Amino acid sequence: MTHQEKQINYMGPFLTMVFLFLIVGFLTTANTQFQGPLKETFLMKVGNLKNTFATLITFSWFLAYPICGSIGSSWISKYGYKGTLIRGLWVMIIGLGLFFASSYFTVQFPDADIRMGESSIPIGFFIFLLGSFVVGASATILQVVINPYLTACRVKGTQAIQRLAIGGTANSVGTTIAPYFVTGVVFGGLAMEDIQISQLMMPFFALMVTIAVVVFLLMRLSLPDIQGTRVEKGEKLEKSVWSFRHLTLGVCAIFCYVGVEVCIGANINLYAIERNCPSPALLATLYWGGMLIGRLVGSSLSKVSPRVQLTVTTISAGVLALLAIIFNNPWLLTAVGLFHSIMWGAIFTLSVAHLGKYTSVASGVFMIGVVGGAILPLLQGVFADLLESWRWSWFIVILGEVFMLYYALIGSRVRQTAD
């Protein structure tokens, strides 16, 4: 970092990134919350395929991560961090516009559908799936900017993993308020069977206007680039970003992390129902609430290295998952959220260490690992069916924790630098 860069006050840009992280978390969870309502509105004539089509909403979102991560990296090289953020937010507005169009089209053309045997799927549902992919692409591009920027922007009294934890806290706030937005604001607290497709239009239009205002404000904010963290326009890299072993294994580690995080968050309710636990929804709430608390704690850890944090949290999470299996007790899994909370920041910080100008490109390929959030929960469901119990399927979480522990102790050691 040059003397001139040291004089830059990054507090404003830092707070901007934290706010954008909140938006990403909010939209990610809001998207999944539409599965139930859309199952009741769009998919009334799908028959036994309702669940399959409903889960495509989440799948199409996560599909954007491996496909669009490289786009974010190339845009950073071409347009810089600020230019990429603005373009990413315009992509988000387009995606929200597709959400709006899906309900408008279905209201205007209620008989427009595609028939698959005895099933009938409204064309508006496929427009919604496209919107889910496009907004997911926007979230991917934003994170390709946010993660390396939070890592590299020097804010006095903080270290990289601490700044990512603060961003993660904002992300958790977004994921916490999103369900209330969907159920309370969008659908006004109505029961699933009373929800109408027409109710989707105005909230999505309001979100489009809100994001447009954010773009307007962002265009007027100072958001300096951080030299040495991206490839300059026209510059070519001497070697593949995949040649850095600690980054490649970091992508594998984030695949495991996002996978096991979503495994618990998405499937703990089903495990609780199998065990006849009272208030199954409460378990998921406690799990995500634990992540919020853990990130608040993590944001205060200014002197504990990412390697130590990842080592302690993976061991703790693995032990809790093992105890949950031994005692066949889903309540033990809720505490795992406390330890999953800071793993993203720890893995990302270790993965981009000493990458220099390769950092922004690395952030793009890092997003490939997020697809674990679509694959591992699906595999867990298959195992639960084959084993006729959710109890033993949690070994997939333990395996993920073991790999992340390996990454913390061995895989994250830097053997090759960008210099």
Side-chain angles (χ1 to χ4, degrees):
M1 180 172 283
T2 65
H3 176 74
Q4 182 180 359
E5 288 178 291
K6 289 180 180 178
Q7 300 303 310
I8 298 175
N9 185 351
Y10 283 106
M11 181 57 71
F14 169 73
L15 293 176
T16 301
M17 296 298 173
V18 170
F19 174 72
L20 291 174
F21 228 150
L22 184 148
I23 291 177
V24 170
F26 174 84
L27 290 176
T28 300
T29 301
N31 184 72
T32 62
Q33 294 299 308
F34 281 108
Q35 287 188 168
L38 291 182
K39 180 179 172 182
E40 297 297 327
T41 52
F42 279 107
L43 304 175
M44 291 298 293
K45 301 178 182 178
V46 179
N48 294 331
L49 296 176
K50 275 187 179 181
N51 289 322
T52 301
F53 277 94
T55 55
L56 286 176
I57 297 170
T58 298
F59 182 82
S60 60
W61 176 284
F62 279 107
L63 183 64
Y65 279 84
I67 293 176
C68 300
S70 59
I71 294 176
S73 298
S74 62
W75 281 7
I76 291 174
S77 298
K78 190 174 182 179
Y79 304 114
Y81 288 109
K82 181 177 178 178
T84 301
L85 281 180
I86 291 172
R87 286 165 176 80
L89 288 171
W90 280 119
V91 172
M92 182 177 291
I93 292 172
I94 293 171
L96 293 170
L98 288 169
F99 283 158
F100 174 89
S102 69
S103 54
Y104 180 82
F105 183 89
T106 305
V107 170
Q108 295 296 317
F109 306 98
D111 298 324
D113 54 29
I114 297 175
R115 296 195 173 274
M116 299 175 62
E118 298 182 357
S119 301
S120 177
I121 306 100
I123 291 177
F125 177 73
F126 292 101
I127 298 175
F128 194 95
L129 288 183
L130 178 60
S132 183
F133 176 84
V134 173
V135 180
S138 169
T140 304
I141 292 168
L142 292 182
Q143 288 191 70
V144 171
V145 174
I146 293 169
N147 287 301
Y149 203 96
L150 287 179
T151 303
C153 71
R154 302 295 180 93
V155 177
K156 188 176 180 180
T158 66
Q159 60 169 331
I161 188 174
Q162 189 179 7
R163 294 190 292 274
L164 283 170
I166 295 171
T169 301
N171 187 269
S172 289
V173 171
T175 62
T176 301
I177 64 177
Y180 296 99
F181 174 84
V182 174
T183 58
V185 178
V186 177
F187 300 123
L190 291 174
M192 291 287 185
E193 60 270 16
D194 296 327
I195 292 172
Q196 302 295 319
I197 295 175
S198 58
Q199 291 176 275
L200 296 171
M201 285 188 277
M202 285 310 298
F204 285 131
F205 182 77
L207 282 174
M208 290 171 64
V209 173
T210 301
I211 301 302
V213 172
V214 172
V215 172
F216 177 80
L217 294 174
L218 185 61
M219 291 174 68
R220 281 154 179 75
L221 287 176
S222 174
L223 198 70
D225 270 349
I226 303 176
Q227 298 301 315
T229 62
R230 66 182 182 93
V231 181
E232 299 298 330
K233 186 176 180 180
E235 183 181 4
K236 291 186 177 181
L237 295 173
E238 295 81 11
K239 50 193 173 185
S240 169
V241 71
W242 293 105
S243 64
F244 300 98
R245 179 175 176 271
H246 67 287
L247 170 65
T248 302
L249 291 175
V251 174
C252 298
I254 212 65
F255 176 93
C256 293
Y257 164 68
V258 178
V260 300
E261 176 196 89
V262 178
C263 276
I264 298 179
N267 297 334
I268 192 172
N269 290 0
L270 300 175
Y271 183 32
I273 292 171
E274 179 183 272
R275 296 289 301 144
N276 295 316
C277 293
S279 304
L282 178 61
L283 278 79
T285 301
L286 290 174
Y287 172 74
W288 293 113
M291 289 195 67
L292 175 57
I293 293 171
R295 284 171 172 168
L296 285 170
V297 173
S299 64
S300 66
L301 301 177
S302 60
K303 297 182 180 180
V304 183
S305 72
R307 180 168 286 108
V308 171
Q309 290 189 35
L310 187 58
T311 300
V312 172
T313 53
T314 51
I315 292 174
S316 301
V319 169
L320 282 169
L322 181 60
L323 290 175
I325 294 172
I326 293 173
F327 295 106
N328 199 14
N329 188 336
W331 289 97
L332 289 168
L333 291 171
T334 62
V336 176
L338 286 168
F339 302 104
H340 276 176
S341 58
I342 57 177
M343 288 183 182
W344 174 282
I347 295 172
F348 184 84
T349 304
L350 293 169
S351 297
V352 301
H354 303 291
L355 290 188
K357 65 182 180 182
Y358 291 83
T359 302
S360 63
V361 179
S363 181
V365 302
F366 193 76
M367 292 299 115
I368 294 174
V370 178
V371 77
I375 295 175
L376 292 191
L378 178 62
L379 286 178
Q380 187 188 15
V382 172
F383 290 147
D385 285 337
L386 291 174
L387 301 170
E388 298 183 345
S389 173
W390 282 97
R391 178 183 184 180
W392 308 109
S393 71
W394 298 106
F395 272 111
I396 198 169
V397 172
I398 294 176
L399 291 175
E401 306 293 351
V402 169
F403 183 84
M404 287 187 285
L405 177 60
Y406 157 77
Y407 182 70
L409 297 175
I410 301 173
S412 60
R413 302 289 178 180
V414 179
R415 296 184 178 182
Q416 181 183 14
T417 68
D419 299 329

